[in-house]
Amino acid sequence: MKLAIYPGSFDPVTFGHIEIISRAAKMFDKLIVLVSVNPLKPNSFTREERLEMLSETVQVEGFDNVEVDSYDGLLIDYFKQRDADVIVRGLRAVSDFEYEFQMAQANRKLCPKAETVFLASKSEYTYFSSSVVKQIGMFGGDIKDFVPEYILGRIANRLKK
Ligand code: COA
């Protein structure tokens, strides 16, 4: 069984992430979407809120082989604990590559078994980011093209606070 982990901040989850989840779920027997900590980035949504939005996404979209989890430590420690095979990351543009390449190499150094698979984002999502959604939402803009309708209200209300 091939187990893959898709880590990220998901602060909040967007259509861009969902597209990667959907494609990765078809490639592996099981996919864990992991709410992880990037210590260099402050989050706007609590871990519980991010987990809740991801769990709802998985349920509504019918991703049967996808689990949602969170971990506060090193991704590679979680990877080893779960005896995973692959780390999945999305690439939106060439500008993502250097950072992603560095993380993939560092993770492989810490665990030689850890392969990172990069999925190229669909072109309509290449300019998406959680920060874009947050900025639009904070100023009362319409975020319906960025996040699914079932979590839109929650995100919009939270960002207006
Ligand atoms: N569609 C839309 N947006 C996308 C996207 C996609 N396919 N892929 C990435 N993004 C956006 C995210 O929304 C995020 O936007 P933001 O910066 O505005 O919040 C941005 O791109 C970065 O993506 P994210 O997946 O959140 O990466 P990150 O750089 O914040 O975090 C972790 C990377 C959490 C996976 C990494 O820090 C980690 O592994 N942490 C655990 C600790 C660890 O092991 N560190 C050592 C790593 S070598």
Side-chain angles (χ1 to χ4, degrees):
M1 191 187 90
K2 287 277 176 214
L3 173 63
I5 299 176
Y6 178 33
S9 310
F10 304 109
D11 187 47
V13 61
T14 71
F15 282 130
H17 299 122
I18 296 169
E19 189 242 337
I20 299 290
I21 295 171
S22 158
R23 284 159 59 201
K26 289 183 193 129
M27 294 170 67
F28 303 101
D29 299 303
K30 182 169 179 173
L31 178 72
I32 300 172
V33 179
L34 190 69
V35 174
S36 314
V37 179
N38 178 345
L40 305 175
K41 253 172 44 179
N43 293 308
S44 302
F45 293 85
T46 65
R47 179 178 41 181
E48 286 65 34
E49 286 171 324
R50 288 178 281 150
L51 277 169
E52 216 175 88
M53 289 188 278
L54 279 168
S55 299
E56 195 162 339
T57 299
V58 165
Q59 198 200 334
V60 175
E61 302 293 336
F63 297 140
D64 293 338
N65 62 337
V66 178
E67 176 187 329
V68 175
D69 199 3
S70 69
Y71 191 67
D72 285 341
L74 277 179
L75 167 63
I76 211 65
D77 288 339
Y78 183 88
F79 181 93
K80 287 184 202 162
Q81 274 174 35
R82 296 297 301 254
D83 195 21
D85 302 287
V86 168
I87 297 166
V88 173
R89 294 286 289 169
L91 279 183
R92 289 164 299 169
V94 179
S95 50
D96 281 344
F97 181 75
E98 199 172 332
Y99 171 68
E100 294 296 339
F101 189 68
Q102 206 175 27
M103 278 210 301
Q105 300 288 17
N107 282 325
R108 196 165 43 199
K109 183 77 187 163
L110 295 170
C111 174
K113 180 198 163 198
E115 287 292 354
T116 301
V117 167
F118 297 111
L119 298 185
S121 287
K122 270 193 178 169
S123 55
E124 59 259 50
Y125 300 128
T126 50
Y127 68 97
F128 273 42
S129 75
S130 299
S131 304
V132 163
V133 172
K134 285 189 276 192
Q135 282 207 25
I136 298 172
M138 267 173 207
F139 293 104
D142 190 352
I143 53 171
K144 76 169 180 351
D145 288 341
F146 296 86
V147 299
E149 162 266 318
Y150 47 84
I151 52 172
L152 188 149
R154 209 176 317 165
I155 295 174
N157 287 337
R158 179 76 165 68
L159 291 174
K160 276 188 227 154
K161 279 185 192 159

